[in-house]
Amino acid sequence: MTFELEIGGRVRRVTIEAGDGAGPEGGPFQIKVDADTVAVVAVRTDLGVSLLLPDGRSIDVALCETAGGEWTAQLPHVTVTATIDGRRERRGRPGDVAATGAQRVVAPMPGRVVKVLIKPGDQVEARQGLVVMEAMKMENELSSPKGGVVREVAVVEGASVEAGRLLVVVE
């Protein structure tokens, strides 16, 4: 499988090839990013994937797809937002069809609500911060998938939430 991955405005070409014994729950893979190739063993977890690197290090990556088609990847010391095949998506349709109508922003993983940045009735822009969550010892700001009006805020600061819990509705 080959796709484009955009992180921080930089587009990379990524190719993933399954090795012998790889299946839906994991196994050996060759990952090529631009011209660099690395062999990894990937194992699916409840929150994403655990990667075993050739040097023996293991990296846990929590993954969550947002309503706007972006992905949030939480690694041990950094959280990144990525778009997969974004240029292909933009060529294929006008505007951002994925973020029409009421959009439910949910917790990508279990954690604690550190800060609620908005209130019902607030006007928000696309990608504006709505809620800050702490999960896996990292703080993550969850943003609006579209511009609109905040219709519901379903959490309060300090609340513990499970993965998939409704946080905010933006119309």
Side-chain angles (χ1 to χ4, degrees), residues 41-98:
V41 175
V43 178
R44 185 180 298 252
T45 66
D46 290 340
L47 299 177
V49 66
S50 182
L51 302 173
L52 179 60
L53 303 177
D55 64 5
R57 289 182 299 144
S58 177
I59 299 175
D60 292 324
V61 183
L63 299 168
C64 178
E65 185 174 16
T66 68
E70 294 180 328
W71 285 81
T72 299
Q74 187 175 34
L75 294 103
H77 298 287
V78 67
T79 298
V80 296
T81 300
T83 303
I84 299 173
D85 284 338
R87 292 193 295 194
R88 189 174 302 161
E89 284 287 314
R90 288 189 287 273
R91 278 195 310 261
R93 63 183 178 201
D96 190 4
V97 175

Side-chain angles (χ1 to χ4, degrees), residues 4 6 10-11 25 35 37 43 52 68 74 78 84 92 94-95 97 115-116 120 129 135 137 143 159 162:
E4 287 183 341
E6 180 180 348
R10 187 171 182 188
V11 177
E25 296 304 312
T37 302
V43 178
L52 179 60
Q74 187 175 34
V78 67
I84 299 173
V97 175
K115 188 159 182 75
V116 177
K137 299 181 184 177
S143 59
E162 64 277 358

Side-chain angles (χ1 to χ4, degrees), residues 141-152:
E141 185 175 276
L142 303 177
S143 59
S144 180
K146 65 178 243 172
V149 176
V150 175
R151 291 293 174 217
E152 180 181 353

Side-chain angles (χ1 to χ4, degrees), residues 89-149:
E89 284 287 314
R90 288 189 287 273
R91 278 195 310 261
R93 63 183 178 201
D96 190 4
V97 175
T100 59
Q103 295 295 306
R104 296 168 47 92
V105 177
V106 300
M109 61 193 71
R112 183 177 63 87
V113 176
V114 175
K115 188 159 182 75
V116 177
L117 304 171
I118 42 76
K119 61 186 180 308
D122 283 356
Q123 184 74 35
V124 294
E125 300 295 322
R127 296 187 176 93
Q128 178 179 332
L130 302 173
V131 175
V132 178
M133 278 190 61
E134 179 183 53
M136 296 173 57
K137 299 181 184 177
M138 297 279 299
E139 285 190 3
N140 299 293
E141 185 175 276
L142 303 177
S143 59
S144 180
K146 65 178 243 172
V149 176

